[in-house]
Amino acid sequence: MRLGIFGGTFDPPHLAHLILADECRYQLELDKVLWVLTPTPPHKLTQDISPLEQRLALLQAALTGEAAFVISRVDIDRPAPHYAVDSMRILHRDYPGDTLVYLMGGDSLRDLPTWHTPRDFITACDEIGVMRRPGAAVDLAELERLLPELPARLRWVNTPLIEISASAVRQRIRTGAPYRHYLPPPVAEMIAARGWYR
Ligand code: ATP
């Protein structure tokens, strides 16, 4: 099997996550996409992140009825720190023989040198699929100089540029701006019903 590995905070999951993950599934010929919900993302330690139970409930709502999209508990069921390199090693153990394709936005690719042991992370991925993101210009030559293992694994996915981020959605909810249509309807409904992000 070819498995996509889509790591994120998903606070909340939004339409760009779904559109882009589905496009990766199609273009990279993935059998499934595992959505790796990270309880404590190492690069967001200084940010306020919603409780795991809230993000998990929203992700379950977002992925209901999506047979190819599966929530992975690989980070949920182990103590922090939740480094992606460790998630990939565990997933290789759990899915022996499968090809693991890590999926990330252009902003994550740009920041990859700051990840924990980035070269080990890259070699733990069979492929790395990248979705373009507005405002995330990547200096590829510099990246390849710092991370020589990257070019052989990099797969650019031809995705639309979508200017939606979880932080902007949270801000919209907080300030009373319209937000519903940035989200899968069950996610918007759950947020409204529970009064989250206000
Ligand atoms: P925040 O705004 O809180 O930082 P986010 O919208 O980036 O959140 P995450 O859960 O952190 O959402 O993202 C998970 C993955 O999805 C990351 O690899 C990120 O780069 C990618 N991603 C999220 N939104 C987009 C987008 N609009 N375009 C491309 N990639 C995206």
Side-chain angles (χ1 to χ4, degrees):
M1 288 231 286
R2 284 175 58 77
L3 294 180
I5 311 297
F6 192 25
T9 316
F10 305 118
D11 189 18
H14 50 65
L15 284 183
H17 291 134
L18 282 155
I19 293 168
L20 299 172
D22 210 27
E23 205 52 61
C24 288
R25 180 194 59 72
Y26 176 66
Q27 292 186 35
L28 300 175
E29 300 183 313
L30 306 172
D31 296 288
K32 281 194 184 332
V33 176
L34 304 187
W35 292 57
V36 176
L37 177 62
T38 304
T40 47
H43 59 291
K44 292 185 178 175
L45 289 178
T46 55
Q47 281 178 37
D48 260 350
I49 295 173
S50 306
L52 175 65
E53 297 67 36
Q54 174 177 330
R55 291 182 287 127
L56 184 57
L58 291 171
L59 192 56
Q60 281 162 343
L63 303 188
T64 300
E66 298 286 339
F69 290 167
V70 178
I71 297 177
S72 165
R73 295 188 59 93
V74 64
D75 284 359
I76 297 174
D77 291 339
R78 68 189 176 96
H82 297 122
Y83 296 126
V85 62
D86 299 325
S87 319
M88 290 306 289
R89 286 180 178 144
I90 296 169
L91 288 169
H92 271 296
R93 226 174 38 217
D94 292 349
Y95 297 94
D98 287 354
T99 299
L100 302 190
V101 184
Y102 197 94
L103 308 176
M104 64 173 70
D107 56 319
S108 302
L109 179 68
R110 180 196 57 204
D111 299 339
L112 200 50
T114 68
W115 287 27
H116 182 67
T117 61
R119 294 178 65 179
D120 291 340
F121 164 73
I122 293 167
T123 50
C125 302
D126 296 303
E127 300 171 25
I128 297 178
V130 176
M131 315 165 279
R132 299 179 313 136
R133 187 161 198 180
V138 177
D139 182 346
L140 253 194
E142 176 64 2
L143 263 188
E144 291 177 4
R145 190 182 67 75
L146 294 171
L147 309 170
E149 296 79 8
L150 184 63
R153 290 174 175 76
L154 201 54
R155 307 279 177 271
W156 288 99
V157 188
N158 187 11
T159 49
L161 280 170
I162 308 178
E163 203 157 8
I164 300 179
S165 67
S167 40
V169 170
R170 291 195 301 276
Q171 195 190 354
R172 285 182 160 273
I173 300 171
R174 228 178 6 252
T175 58
Y179 67 89
R180 278 191 306 126
H181 301 298
Y182 292 83
L183 302 172
V187 171
E189 281 158 24
M190 188 176 283
I191 288 173
R194 312 268 172 102
W196 285 338
Y197 301 110
R198 294 214 173 278

